[in-house]
Amino acid sequence: MQIDDSHFELRLAGSEADLHAAQRLRYAVFVEELGGDGPLVDHAARREADRFDPFFDHLLLLDRRRAPEDRVVGVYRVMRAEGAAAAGRFYSEGEYDLAPLRASSRRLLELGRSCLHRDYRGGTAMMHLWAGLADYIADHEIEVMFGVASFHGVDPAPLAQALSLLYHRHLAPAPIRPVARPDGYQRLDLVPEADLDRAAAVRAIPALIKAYLRLGGFVGQGAYVDRAFNCIDVCLVMDVAQIPDKHRAIYRRSGP
């Protein structure tokens, strides 16, 4: 059966109203669902914001069938090196030392705040966001993508199998391996490789992280405990040139 997705619109935010719509969706997901908070979160207006928002591009997925003020159902924010220079640093550098990536002299893109409205999870919406990201990567000739992705909660014990699997099977090569900063550092190697329960570990890994791993993604050294956002973060790194051929179509331009 053919799926009609013509009601979706994918574009970059072009106004303050667009940004506020993205921040409202982020509030619903990261604050209301996951218990996050931060100094610039506006609880009265229900917007999740931080000081980096003006320096990111914000990829929006809209559903035209919804009321105009509620049409944004998916967001992804992306920042190139030029944005990081204007902001003073990449967002991830608050949690990770990115010196290896910066020293690589490759074209970098930071990914973050990816989320979907709860009614659109498990369908085609995420694939639309990935397609938009593909076009962005092609337009700006991005070579390496990176960003933090989260496990819910700040207790590493229930995540020991999952974190250890990432360490033993998906640790980034040293030349592009970020290292978690000491103030929130959490070891990944909590379980010896011989004692891994792979099935249990995979079940505990969030879907977005698993998607990055399928694309050939790696993780940095150590996790970072982000208590304000009620999560444990890992830094994912993807070399665009090394994405497996069977998944490469995701990162090709969707147009002619």
Side-chain angles (χ1 to χ4, degrees), residues 40-249:
L40 296 184
V41 171
D42 186 337
H43 294 286
R46 299 180 67 254
R47 295 202 305 261
E48 188 278 305
D50 67 18
R51 78 166 187 87
F52 290 91
D53 274 334
F55 306 101
F56 275 87
D57 284 334
H58 301 264
L59 183 63
L60 310 179
L61 180 66
L62 300 91
D63 186 343
R64 299 190 192 94
R65 300 171 301 180
R66 300 172 68 93
E69 69 277 5
D70 194 35
R71 283 183 178 168
V72 173
V73 298
V75 299
Y76 228 130
R77 72 176 191 177
V78 293
M79 184 162 67
R80 290 170 283 135
E82 297 88 339
R89 63 173 174 86
F90 285 107
Y91 171 84
S92 303
E93 285 180 292
E95 299 185 0
Y96 280 83
D97 181 354
L98 301 181
L101 287 176
R102 285 188 172 277
S104 71
S105 299
R106 304 179 73 188
R107 292 189 64 83
L108 305 176
L109 182 69
E110 181 175 38
L111 312 177
R113 294 298 199 275
S114 172
C115 63
L116 290 173
H117 187 288
R118 64 168 70 242
D119 294 342
Y120 293 80
R121 297 167 197 168
T124 62
M126 194 67 212
M127 293 308 298
H128 284 280
L129 281 175
W130 284 92
L133 185 59
D135 282 351
Y136 192 97
I137 289 165
D139 288 342
H140 297 286
E141 300 180 332
I142 298 301
E143 298 174 275
V144 177
M145 300 180 290
F146 69 96
V148 296
S150 303
F151 290 83
H152 183 49
V154 295
D155 181 3
L159 304 173
Q161 288 284 340
L163 296 176
S164 298
L165 178 68
L166 295 179
Y167 175 84
H168 292 301
R169 307 284 173 83
H170 300 285
L171 192 63
I176 56 169
R177 185 188 302 165
V179 180
R181 295 198 179 277
D183 62 312
Y185 191 94
Q186 168 60 53
R187 288 175 50 205
L188 293 175
D189 55 332
L190 301 175
V191 176
E193 187 169 14
D195 296 334
L196 280 176
D197 181 342
R198 190 179 186 281
V202 169
R203 284 196 300 271
I205 296 176
L208 182 63
I209 296 177
K210 283 190 278 198
Y212 286 136
L213 297 179
R214 284 194 294 270
L215 291 171
F218 299 101
V219 299
Q221 180 73 44
Y224 186 92
V225 180
D226 184 349
R227 298 193 180 277
F229 248 72
N230 191 35
C231 62
I232 293 177
D233 292 334
V234 293
C235 190
L236 287 151
V237 181
M238 284 168 289
D239 186 330
V240 174
Q242 299 302 315
I243 293 174
D245 288 341
K246 65 180 180 178
H247 296 302
R248 188 167 292 278

